[in-house]
PDB file of all heavy atoms in Angstrom:
ATOM      1  N   ARG B 135     -55.763 -72.240-101.376  1.00 90.00           N
ATOM      2  CA  ARG B 135     -56.056 -71.834-102.756  1.00 90.00           C
ATOM      3  C   ARG B 135     -57.311 -70.965-102.821  1.00 90.00           C
ATOM      4  O   ARG B 135     -58.092 -71.112-103.769  1.00 90.00           O
ATOM      5  CB  ARG B 135     -56.200 -73.041-103.691  1.00 90.00           C
ATOM      6  CG  ARG B 135     -55.072 -73.982-103.680  1.00 90.00           C
ATOM      7  CD  ARG B 135     -53.854 -73.397-104.343  1.00 90.00           C
ATOM      8  NE  ARG B 135     -52.927 -74.440-104.790  1.00 90.00           N
ATOM      9  CZ  ARG B 135     -52.042 -75.042-103.989  1.00 90.00           C
ATOM     10  NH1 ARG B 135     -51.920 -74.641-102.704  1.00 90.00           N
ATOM     11  NH2 ARG B 135     -51.278 -75.962-104.504  1.00 90.00           N
ATOM     12  N   CYS B 136     -57.504 -70.095-101.857  1.00 90.00           N
ATOM     13  CA  CYS B 136     -58.716 -69.260-101.897  1.00 90.00           C
ATOM     14  C   CYS B 136     -58.405 -67.782-101.869  1.00 90.00           C
ATOM     15  O   CYS B 136     -59.219 -66.955-101.472  1.00 90.00           O
ATOM     16  CB  CYS B 136     -59.661 -69.671-100.731  1.00 90.00           C
ATOM     17  SG  CYS B 136     -59.018 -69.458 -99.121  1.00 90.00           S
ATOM     18  N   LEU B 137     -57.251 -67.441-102.309  1.00 90.00           N
ATOM     19  CA  LEU B 137     -56.883 -66.066-102.395  1.00 90.00           C
ATOM     20  C   LEU B 137     -57.363 -65.468-103.719  1.00 90.00           C
ATOM     21  O   LEU B 137     -57.339 -66.086-104.743  1.00 90.00           O
ATOM     22  CB  LEU B 137     -55.326 -65.896-102.306  1.00 90.00           C
ATOM     23  CG  LEU B 137     -54.752 -65.945-100.881  1.00 90.00           C
ATOM     24  CD1 LEU B 137     -53.224 -65.900-101.026  1.00 90.00           C
ATOM     25  CD2 LEU B 137     -55.294 -64.830-100.016  1.00 90.00           C
ATOM     26  N   PRO B 138     -57.812 -64.183-103.673  1.00 90.00           N
ATOM     27  CA  PRO B 138     -58.185 -63.531-104.906  1.00 90.00           C
ATOM     28  C   PRO B 138     -56.907 -63.283-105.706  1.00 90.00           C
ATOM     29  O   PRO B 138     -55.785 -63.304-105.176  1.00 90.00           O
ATOM     30  CB  PRO B 138     -58.831 -62.232-104.471  1.00 90.00           C
ATOM     31  CG  PRO B 138     -58.393 -62.025-103.077  1.00 90.00           C
ATOM     32  CD  PRO B 138     -58.084 -63.378-102.468  1.00 90.00           C
ATOM     33  N   PRO B 139     -57.048 -62.920-106.993  1.00 86.00           N
ATOM     34  CA  PRO B 139     -55.860 -62.782-107.849  1.00 86.00           C
ATOM     35  C   PRO B 139     -55.050 -61.535-107.542  1.00 86.00           C
ATOM     36  O   PRO B 139     -53.862 -61.525-107.819  1.00 86.00           O
ATOM     37  CB  PRO B 139     -56.475 -62.720-109.275  1.00 86.00           C
ATOM     38  CG  PRO B 139     -57.894 -62.304-109.110  1.00 86.00           C
ATOM     39  CD  PRO B 139     -58.309 -62.861-107.790  1.00 86.00           C
ATOM     40  N   ASP B 140     -55.668 -60.504-107.019  1.00 89.00           N
ATOM     41  CA  ASP B 140     -54.987 -59.277-106.814  1.00 89.00           C
ATOM     42  C   ASP B 140     -55.104 -58.874-105.306  1.00 89.00           C
ATOM     43  O   ASP B 140     -56.231 -58.648-104.842  1.00 89.00           O
ATOM     44  CB  ASP B 140     -55.635 -58.166-107.727  1.00 89.00           C
ATOM     45  CG  ASP B 140     -54.982 -56.815-107.458  1.00 89.00           C
ATOM     46  OD1 ASP B 140     -53.840 -56.764-107.051  1.00 89.00           O
ATOM     47  OD2 ASP B 140     -55.680 -55.777-107.708  1.00 89.00           O
ATOM     48  N   ILE B 141     -53.961 -58.904-104.645  1.00 92.00           N
ATOM     49  CA  ILE B 141     -53.979 -58.606-103.191  1.00 92.00           C
ATOM     50  C   ILE B 141     -52.979 -57.502-102.899  1.00 92.00           C
ATOM     51  O   ILE B 141     -51.789 -57.634-103.296  1.00 92.00           O
ATOM     52  CB  ILE B 141     -53.663 -59.861-102.357  1.00 92.00           C
ATOM     53  CG1 ILE B 141     -54.493 -61.036-102.772  1.00 92.00           C
ATOM     54  CG2 ILE B 141     -53.738 -59.531-100.868  1.00 92.00           C
ATOM     55  CD1 ILE B 141     -53.932 -62.347-102.312  1.00 92.00           C
ATOM     56  N   GLN B 142     -53.428 -56.509-102.212  1.00 92.00           N
ATOM     57  CA  GLN B 142     -52.493 -55.501-101.724  1.00 92.00           C
ATOM     58  C   GLN B 142     -52.656 -55.259-100.210  1.00 92.00           C
ATOM     59  O   GLN B 142     -53.746 -55.255 -99.720  1.00 92.00           O
ATOM     60  CB  GLN B 142     -52.714 -54.179-102.475  1.00 92.00           C
ATOM     61  CG  GLN B 142     -52.311 -54.274-103.949  1.00 92.00           C
ATOM     62  CD  GLN B 142     -52.419 -52.927-104.712  1.00 92.00           C
ATOM     63  OE1 GLN B 142     -52.270 -51.897-104.109  1.00 92.00           O
ATOM     64  NE2 GLN B 142     -52.704 -53.048-105.975  1.00 92.00           N
ATOM     65  N   LEU B 143     -51.547 -55.132 -99.594  1.00 90.00           N
ATOM     66  CA  LEU B 143     -51.503 -54.923 -98.131  1.00 90.00           C
ATOM     67  C   LEU B 143     -50.993 -53.522 -97.880  1.00 90.00           C
ATOM     68  O   LEU B 143     -49.907 -53.142 -98.347  1.00 90.00           O
ATOM     69  CB  LEU B 143     -50.562 -55.963 -97.524  1.00 90.00           C
ATOM     70  CG  LEU B 143     -50.400 -55.981 -96.054  1.00 90.00           C
ATOM     71  CD1 LEU B 143     -51.705 -56.199 -95.303  1.00 90.00           C
ATOM     72  CD2 LEU B 143     -49.383 -57.057 -95.610  1.00 90.00           C
ATOM     73  N   TRP B 144     -51.826 -52.793 -97.152  1.00 92.00           N
ATOM     74  CA  TRP B 144     -51.445 -51.396 -96.828  1.00 92.00           C
ATOM     75  C   TRP B 144     -51.154 -51.321 -95.337  1.00 92.00           C
ATOM     76  O   TRP B 144     -51.960 -51.814 -94.514  1.00 92.00           O
ATOM     77  CB  TRP B 144     -52.652 -50.445 -97.130  1.00 92.00           C
ATOM     78  CG  TRP B 144     -52.971 -50.393 -98.601  1.00 92.00           C
ATOM     79  CD1 TRP B 144     -53.717 -51.369 -99.297  1.00 92.00           C
ATOM     80  CD2 TRP B 144     -52.656 -49.365 -99.500  1.00 92.00           C
ATOM     81  NE1 TRP B 144     -53.828 -50.983-100.649  1.00 92.00           N
ATOM     82  CE2 TRP B 144     -53.214 -49.778-100.814  1.00 92.00           C
ATOM     83  CE3 TRP B 144     -51.971 -48.204 -99.451  1.00 92.00           C
ATOM     84  CZ2 TRP B 144     -53.057 -48.989-101.932  1.00 92.00           C
ATOM     85  CZ3 TRP B 144     -51.847 -47.369-100.583  1.00 92.00           C
ATOM     86  CH2 TRP B 144     -52.379 -47.776-101.829  1.00 92.00           C
ATOM     87  N   THR B 145     -50.016 -50.657 -95.014  1.00 89.00           N
ATOM     88  CA  THR B 145     -49.642 -50.648 -93.579  1.00 89.00           C
ATOM     89  C   THR B 145     -49.607 -49.157 -93.111  1.00 89.00           C
ATOM     90  O   THR B 145     -49.143 -48.292 -93.801  1.00 89.00           O
ATOM     91  CB  THR B 145     -48.279 -51.264 -93.367  1.00 89.00           C
ATOM     92  OG1 THR B 145     -47.305 -50.642 -94.155  1.00 89.00           O
ATOM     93  CG2 THR B 145     -48.319 -52.738 -93.732  1.00 89.00           C
ATOM     94  N   ILE B 146     -50.074 -48.978 -91.906  1.00 89.00           N
ATOM     95  CA  ILE B 146     -50.161 -47.633 -91.248  1.00 89.00           C
ATOM     96  C   ILE B 146     -49.223 -47.651 -90.024  1.00 89.00           C
ATOM     97  O   ILE B 146     -49.400 -48.455 -89.138  1.00 89.00           O
ATOM     98  CB  ILE B 146     -51.601 -47.315 -90.734  1.00 89.00           C
ATOM     99  CG1 ILE B 146     -52.623 -47.555 -91.834  1.00 89.00           C
ATOM    100  CG2 ILE B 146     -51.595 -45.816 -90.180  1.00 89.00           C
ATOM    101  CD1 ILE B 146     -52.661 -46.507 -92.922  1.00 89.00           C
ATOM    102  N   PRO B 147     -48.188 -46.792 -90.027  1.00 85.00           N
ATOM    103  CA  PRO B 147     -47.289 -46.763 -88.843  1.00 85.00           C
ATOM    104  C   PRO B 147     -48.066 -46.258 -87.629  1.00 85.00           C
ATOM    105  O   PRO B 147     -48.778 -45.274 -87.726  1.00 85.00           O
ATOM    106  CB  PRO B 147     -46.190 -45.773 -89.230  1.00 85.00           C
ATOM    107  CG  PRO B 147     -46.339 -45.544 -90.733  1.00 85.00           C
ATOM    108  CD  PRO B 147     -47.752 -45.837 -91.082  1.00 85.00           C
ATOM    109  N   VAL B 148     -47.911 -46.968 -86.521  1.00 81.00           N
ATOM    110  CA  VAL B 148     -48.618 -46.579 -85.276  1.00 81.00           C
ATOM    111  C   VAL B 148     -47.610 -46.603 -84.101  1.00 81.00           C
ATOM    112  O   VAL B 148     -46.531 -47.228 -84.243  1.00 81.00           O
ATOM    113  CB  VAL B 148     -49.806 -47.508 -84.967  1.00 81.00           C
ATOM    114  CG1 VAL B 148     -50.788 -47.473 -86.070  1.00 81.00           C
ATOM    115  CG2 VAL B 148     -49.321 -48.924 -84.691  1.00 81.00           C
TER     116      VAL B 148
END
Side-chain angles (χ1 to χ4, degrees):
Chain B
R135 306 290 201 275
C136 59
L137 281 174
D140 176 27
I141 307 164
Q142 290 184 31
L143 180 59
W144 297 77
T145 58
I146 311 284
V148 300

